[in-house]
Amino acid sequence: MDPNVAHRYRYRRPASGMTFIAHLFGILAIMLSLVWLLHYREGFDIDSDNTNRIFNVHPFLMIFGFIFMIGEAMMAYNTVGADRKVQKIVHMLVHFVALILGIVGLHAAFKWHEKRGLTNLYSLHSWIGIGTFSLFCLQWLFGLSMFLLPGASIETRERAAPWHVNGGRALMYMAIVAALTGLMEKATFMGLRHQSEANVINFLGLSILLFGIAVDLSVSLGRFA
Amino acid sequence: MDPNVAHRYRYRRPASGMTFIAHLFGILAIMLSLVWLLHYREGFDIDSDNTNRIFNVHPFLMIFGFIFMIGEAMMAYNTVGADRKVQKIVHMLVHFVALILGIVGLHAAFKWHEKRGLTNLYSLHSWIGIGTFSLFCLQWLFGLSMFLLPGASIETRERAAPWHVNGGRALMYMAIVAALTGLMEKATFMGLRHQSEANVINFLGLSILLFGIAVDLSVSLGRFA
């Protein structure tokens, strides 16, 4: 690999305007998901007798716990003002938080299906969601063993870095596709059209998408600036 | 800008294995869309008295005419064995074909709504679709005036290139989100669950997503190889 390229994988420029925009859209998405689930729906509680409240844990944790966290973890090299080793550990740990909250979020969807006697894993949303989460777990283990634990040589790391970076970005977009197909499924299933709840869901979907694009540009433009 | 980076924007490596995988998923997506629309639905005809046949023009042209074409246009620098100027013209022209077929595809959706007395632009799918297509038209005009027509200096082009490349990739993922929310909306609206048609739609959605990821990796890994 060209040593100039390897260099860009080790040192990124500090937080840019695009990183700031990403934070804003991420916070907007979390706020809109709370407006939707607390105001228009019945709030969330994983141990409720009200199955709708069990379900609502799922979108909230996949948006706040999974997508927001993986985006922030990807931007850790822009936002954490510390040396490379600390940035890598933050990058790994925030992804680990996303992994744990993602498991709880997936559990909520399965628990809701079970309580309501619904079948699992028939929709495009569920296929993409499960596929993305499984690949994400493999990517996390791959990143940990390749880039944090000792063992891999510098040359091996430099060959693996473009796959880790570009594959990680593809996984983030997969997570966004999963989220937006989920919102689309829910809105269509509930027969929402021009109600204000439909608009809240649409703006929530747009915020998630724009968060992902801003995270992508924050990382990819950072490497060329 | 680092001259090594500008160099990578001017010269890409020839078609890689990832480009080949992208072609395969693209062709699979086109085949599955034909299976779905010809076998399970009533085929397509923009001038039919059967409004379902008018609608069916929409998914087919957005998958074959828009997403497949923009993916192939993005990979032109890997696949067209000619000098840089010819590659750029092919890249522009294939995007132009996508733009024209996309307009016809969007027209089909509006015509179907009008014939059935349905309201327009209420769903997350429609918002993202219209937004993506509008930004795509601006990106095409931006690319033409910046990189093909004379006028912009080398320095201006080098500053604009990362925005064009990374912004173009974000637009492709937006188009994929639009397509998959559309498939999810249609499948949910029709109440499909475990029928074979539901599985065809799910595999169609997965093929479109994997096409997009392979196009992304084909372009982004190419620049680091």
Side-chain angles (χ1 to χ4, degrees), chain A residues 1-2 4-5 8-9 18 118-128 132 162-163 166-167 169-171 173-174 176-177 180-186 188-189 192-194 198-199 201-206 209-210 213 216-217 220-221 223-224, chain B residues 1-2 4-5 8-9 18 118-128 132 162-163 166-167 169-171 173-174 176-177 180-186 188-189 192-194 198-199 201-206 209-210 213 216-217 220-221 223-224:
Chain A
M1 180 191 265
D2 176 355
N4 285 296
V5 174
R8 267 192 303 284
Y9 278 103
M18 197 54 77
L118 302 170
T119 51
N120 289 317
L121 297 175
Y122 62 82
S123 75
L124 182 58
H125 164 63
S126 63
W127 287 23
I128 291 171
T132 302
W163 289 91
N166 292 301
R169 185 186 57 229
L171 275 168
Y173 276 114
M174 286 176 72
I176 287 182
V177 170
L180 269 68
T181 51
L183 291 174
M184 193 73 246
E185 182 179 22
K186 194 72 181 170
T188 310
F189 190 78
L192 296 176
R193 294 215 166 175
H194 296 283
N199 289 331
I201 292 176
N202 289 1
F203 280 115
L204 169 58
L206 276 184
L209 178 59
L210 292 171
I213 290 171
D216 172 7
L217 293 179
S220 56
L221 291 173
R223 257 182 282 130
F224 295 103
Chain B
M1 179 190 269
D2 177 354
N4 285 296
V5 174
R8 267 193 303 285
Y9 277 104
M18 197 53 80
L118 302 170
T119 51
N120 290 316
L121 297 175
Y122 62 83
S123 74
L124 181 58
H125 164 64
S126 63
W127 288 23
I128 291 171
T132 302
W163 288 91
N166 292 302
R169 184 186 56 230
L171 275 168
Y173 275 114
M174 287 176 73
I176 288 182
V177 170
L180 269 66
T181 50
L183 291 175
M184 193 73 244
E185 182 179 22
K186 194 71 182 172
T188 310
F189 189 78
L192 295 177
R193 294 214 165 178
H194 295 284
N199 288 331
I201 292 176
N202 289 1
F203 280 115
L204 169 57
L206 276 185
L209 178 60
L210 292 171
I213 290 170
D216 172 6
L217 294 180
S220 57
L221 291 173
R223 257 181 284 131
F224 295 102

Side-chain angles (χ1 to χ4, degrees), chain A residues 102-150:
Chain A
I103 289 173
V104 180
L106 289 181
H107 165 70
F110 283 104
K111 183 171 181 179
W112 175 65
H113 276 198
E114 194 184 301
K115 293 257 180 194
R116 291 278 287 264
L118 302 170
T119 51
N120 289 317
L121 297 175
Y122 62 82
S123 75
L124 182 58
H125 164 63
S126 63
W127 287 23
I128 291 171
I130 283 286
T132 302
F133 195 78
S134 306
L135 291 172
F136 171 81
C137 293
L138 292 179
Q139 164 87 339
W140 187 85
L141 287 171
F142 171 77
L144 181 72
S145 55
M146 179 66 76
F147 300 108
L148 263 182
L149 299 181

Side-chain angles (χ1 to χ4, degrees), chain A residues 8 11-13 16 78 217-225:
Chain A
R8 267 192 303 284
Y11 304 99
R12 306 272 173 82
R13 67 169 179 173
S16 65
N78 292 343
L217 293 179
S218 161
V219 172
S220 56
L221 291 173
R223 257 182 282 130
F224 295 103

Side-chain angles (χ1 to χ4, degrees), chain B residues 9-102:
Chain B
Y9 277 104
R10 280 199 293 276
Y11 303 99
R12 306 270 175 81
R13 69 168 178 172
S16 65
M18 197 53 80
T19 312
F20 181 70
I21 291 170
H23 294 320
L24 289 187
F25 278 117
I27 292 166
L28 180 62
I30 294 168
M31 286 168 56
L32 285 171
S33 69
L34 288 173
V35 169
W36 176 41
L37 297 168
L38 298 177
H39 178 71
Y40 290 96
R41 298 284 126 196
E42 298 153 88
F44 34 81
D45 177 359
I46 191 78
D47 281 323
S48 178
D49 291 328
N50 178 342
T51 54
N52 289 329
R53 300 187 73 198
I54 298 174
F55 169 80
N56 291 346
V57 173
H58 174 65
F60 181 70
L61 282 186
M62 301 325 278
I63 293 166
F64 165 69
F66 192 66
I67 290 179
F68 181 72
M69 289 295 165
I70 66 176
E72 292 296 328
M74 286 168 70
M75 296 190 296
Y77 300 99
N78 292 343
T79 52
V80 177
D83 71 21
R84 180 73 182 174
K85 184 80 184 172
V86 174
Q87 289 179 329
K88 282 167 81 166
I89 290 172
V90 171
H91 179 78
M92 180 274 285
L93 283 179
V94 179
H95 271 128
F96 185 70
V97 171
L99 196 155
I100 297 298
L101 294 177

